[in-house]
Amino acid sequence: MLDIQALRNDLAGIAARLATRGFVLDTAKFEQLEAERKTIQTRTQELQAKRNSSSKLIGQAKAKGEDVSAIMAEVASLGDELKQAEAQLGEVQVALQQFLEVIPNTPHSCVPIGKSEAENEEVRKVGTPPQFDFEVKDHVSIGEQLGLDFDTATKISGARFSLLKGGLARLHRALAQFMLDTHTDRHGYTETYVPYLVNADSMYGTGQLPKFERDLFRTSSGDSIGDVITNSQEDVKENTFSINKFYLIPTAEVPVTNMVRDSIVPLEQLPLKFVAHTPCFRSEAGSYGRDTRGMIRQHQFDKVELVQIVHPEQSYAGLEELLGHAETILQQLGLPYRVMKLCSGDMGFSAALTYDIEVWLPAQNTYREISSCSNFEAFQARRMQARFRNAQGKPELLHTLNGSALAVGRTLVAVLENYQQADGSVIIPEVLRPYMGGLERLSR
RNA sequence: GGAAGCUUGGCCGAGCGGUUGAAGGCACCAGUCUUGAAAACUGGCGAGGGUUUGCGCCCUUCGUGAGUUCGAAUCUCACAGCUUCCGCCA
């Protein structure tokens, strides 16, 4: 959420910055809501002040045994107007809140202006795509010899699920373990194990709600299957959520970042650095027909996620550091990649600056996203009321960062394709071999 | 699923329907003392918002939402969350 003060101070400027990401800020509506809010709030508070002071007088008079009927009549006459004013104020505040919570973050000044991913800016390219003296196969063809089984996954669940067996399943596990160990042992992150089902407040805190509910899976317990249809935006807002209304996390960013929701972190504990390996669940609504082959785009995939909770002055340095931590994994695995700075039109809702890391996929003859590292500045922290106590002892909003390091499924795809051999086997990158019982090659 | 209890500021913890935004303690900040620190002592100290050039003034806030009342942390109702016990269960 943006700072309402910033909107009051520089509405046109913020509108211009939002326009670069294709968001049209309805400035007239904001000004109208603000004007209404101001008059109604002033009036309401006047009436409340009058009621409060009169009620105090009544208390004092009664204590002295004086007659209070005159004052009581006076206060009573406020009743209706006050009630009405309070109701109006409530309405305008809700309207303002709803207006604010669907506005995306303002891009950082260094973000290139552009409409789509075509205008993202390449920051650097690392590694050289491997040359093959045979016809390269994609991970689906390679994988089906080694234990990648989409048919069975489809039988069990449906489209956009995959099933791994044997060495391939172990390689998948090895990748996650390697990533976790690297980040905890070498990069100073604290390993966390977190809930995969979260409440609406948490989804709101990181920005998935209220705008992107259709991208999420929501649960219902067996008892309340029939209730699913009645679950409404009202429930989400009123937070009348109970056990049958959890959301499946689309990324570990949600539970991990929300660790600091509604809390004040002592200054000396900053920065907080957490890593979590979790499955992620995405409805992929609206992506019909895209990446239908293979395990590039799934309803369920594993990801190792880095989260940093930092002092506002440190967030951009933190982002570079976090990006480097993600890159380390690719370097260790010997996978060629490039780093892209997302243009204004391609960034996610909550981000102020995002780097994507794209890994080389030989079969597609192109780079594909394998990590996304973002600085959210105070956007999420404001929604979460995640704060620290500054040097003056006053609570101040934190900055939040996160990045994938890496998406495990896509890393597996990249390893299969980049390390494929003419005979259909796959060489295991050296850093993974300790996790594979010393195995050097996957073959059928 | 059944039963009981609980929910107050950064933390712990008092709180009769009437100057209670809320005692007390811890933590924190400033000062005195000290070579320095600790201890002791003195003072300060919740958060969010409105308004004002500023001092300040005002509003909201005791899990959430309704209600009773001139007035609610205190009374009523609903809901949520937490804890414990029973049942079921990995």
Side-chain angles (χ1 to χ4, degrees):
Chain A
M1 194 154 65
L2 296 181
D3 182 3
I4 193 168
Q5 295 291 0
L7 283 167
R8 285 172 185 152
N9 294 337
D10 184 20
L11 188 58
I14 288 176
R17 291 171 71 191
L18 290 171
T20 67
R21 56 187 299 164
F23 183 86
V24 180
L25 184 66
D26 189 344
T27 55
K29 184 172 183 193
F30 178 75
E31 282 172 333
Q32 176 229 325
L33 282 170
E34 259 295 282
E36 269 179 50
R37 191 224 92 230
K38 199 162 178 168
T39 52
I40 295 171
Q41 182 162 5
T42 309
R43 180 67 188 142
T44 306
Q45 294 191 352
E46 266 174 31
L47 291 167
Q48 286 171 327
K50 204 182 283 183
R51 179 204 57 199
N52 289 347
S53 57
S54 296
S55 291
K56 270 180 188 171
L57 285 178
I58 290 173
Q60 289 168 358
K62 273 196 163 176
K64 292 182 208 154
E66 293 167 6
D67 176 50
V68 294
S69 53
I71 320 177
M72 281 182 64
E74 195 191 323
V75 180
S77 70
L78 294 175
D80 281 349
E81 196 186 348
L82 179 58
K83 220 167 202 174
Q84 202 189 345
E86 282 176 338
Q88 282 179 352
L89 181 60
E91 280 170 28
V92 75
Q93 280 174 334
V94 166
L96 260 176
Q97 174 71 17
Q98 288 174 347
F99 181 86
L100 287 174
E101 68 193 9
V102 297
I103 301 174
N105 204 353
T106 45
H108 185 263
S109 58
C110 78
V111 170
I113 291 172
K115 285 198 170 77
S116 73
E117 88 184 270
E119 289 161 274
N120 293 344
E121 186 181 292
E122 183 179 299
V123 177
R124 60 181 159 269
K125 204 175 262 180
V126 178
T128 312
Q131 298 298 311
F132 297 94
D133 54 10
F134 55 90
E135 196 178 336
V136 295
K137 291 188 282 186
D138 74 357
H139 71 279
V140 179
S141 304
I142 304 164
E144 66 187 7
Q145 303 299 312
L146 304 173
L148 177 56
D149 180 354
F150 287 106
D151 291 342
T152 305
T154 304
K155 176 178 75 180
I156 296 168
S157 296
R160 292 208 190 280
F161 287 93
S162 51
L163 190 151
L164 304 174
K165 286 180 293 200
L168 213 47
R170 184 167 187 179
L171 183 59
H172 185 263
R173 171 162 60 92
L175 282 166
Q177 306 270 41
F178 165 67
M179 294 177 197
L180 275 173
D181 285 348
T182 303
H183 297 311
T184 53
D185 295 343
R186 293 177 48 186
H187 299 154
Y189 290 78
T190 302
E191 184 168 352
T192 56
Y193 169 79
V194 293
Y196 305 155
L197 297 175
V198 302
N199 59 32
D201 282 346
S202 294
M203 285 296 185
Y204 178 84
T206 34
Q208 281 75 19
L209 289 181
K211 214 174 179 177
F212 305 102
E213 184 165 27
R214 59 187 252 105
D215 298 334
L216 304 171
F217 287 110
R218 189 169 61 191
T219 64
S220 61
S221 74
D223 273 357
S224 58
I225 289 289
D227 296 345
V228 173
I229 291 158
T230 67
N231 287 353
S232 64
Q233 278 295 310
E234 297 296 305
D235 296 323
V236 176
K237 284 206 191 69
E238 304 294 323
N239 197 27
T240 53
F241 254 64
S242 56
I243 191 156
N244 58 331
K245 296 171 186 171
F246 289 119
Y247 289 94
L248 273 72
I249 57 170
T251 159
E253 161 193 352
V254 177
V256 177
T257 311
N258 273 280
M259 285 166 68
V260 294
R261 171 157 55 83
D262 292 324
S263 58
I264 299 179
V265 181
L267 185 60
E268 63 272 18
Q269 283 180 19
L270 298 178
L272 296 172
K273 295 164 72 177
F274 298 114
V275 58
H277 165 221
T278 73
C280 304
F281 303 93
R282 299 187 181 177
S283 74
E284 293 297 343
S287 65
Y288 304 109
R290 266 167 61 202
D291 300 316
T292 48
R293 179 174 166 85
M295 53 186 300
I296 291 290
R297 191 173 298 279
Q298 305 273 283
H299 286 312
Q300 171 188 322
F301 62 96
D302 275 28
K303 187 155 60 68
V304 172
E305 184 79 0
L306 305 178
V307 172
Q308 292 196 17
I309 311 290
V310 304
H311 190 286
E313 286 167 14
Q314 300 302 318
S315 64
Y316 282 95
L319 180 62
E320 297 299 324
E321 181 197 78
L322 189 150
L323 175 65
H325 294 154
E327 289 183 62
T328 298
I329 302 296
L330 287 161
Q331 289 163 12
Q332 296 280 306
L333 290 171
L335 294 170
Y337 67 91
R338 62 177 187 176
V339 176
M340 305 295 288
K341 184 188 275 188
L342 296 198
C343 75
S344 54
D346 198 32
M347 280 199 306
F349 177 75
S350 304
L353 175 62
T354 298
Y355 293 108
D356 273 6
I357 303 177
E358 298 179 342
V359 70
W360 176 256
L361 293 187
Q364 295 191 7
N365 198 39
T366 188
Y367 291 93
R368 286 301 304 262
E369 179 186 345
I370 197 168
S371 169
S372 190
C373 303
S374 302
N375 184 358
F376 303 93
E377 298 187 354
F379 190 86
Q380 294 180 327
R382 188 171 293 108
R383 290 174 160 247
M384 292 191 298
Q385 282 303 298
R387 296 169 294 173
F388 69 101
R389 219 171 266 288
N390 65 22
Q392 289 73 46
K394 287 292 163 195
E396 193 180 324
L397 293 172
L398 289 157
H399 280 193
T400 59
L401 319 169
N402 68 54
S404 8
L406 302 162
V408 180
R410 287 188 181 183
T411 309
L412 182 69
V413 168
V415 168
L416 293 182
E417 294 199 2
N418 282 278
Y419 284 91
Q420 62 180 301
Q421 305 297 305
D423 64 359
S425 66
V426 172
I427 300 287
I428 295 169
E430 272 186 42
V431 291
L432 296 179
R433 291 178 192 170
Y435 297 93
M436 296 293 290
L439 200 64
E440 293 176 11
R441 180 192 294 258
L442 274 187
S443 46
R444 58 180 308 192

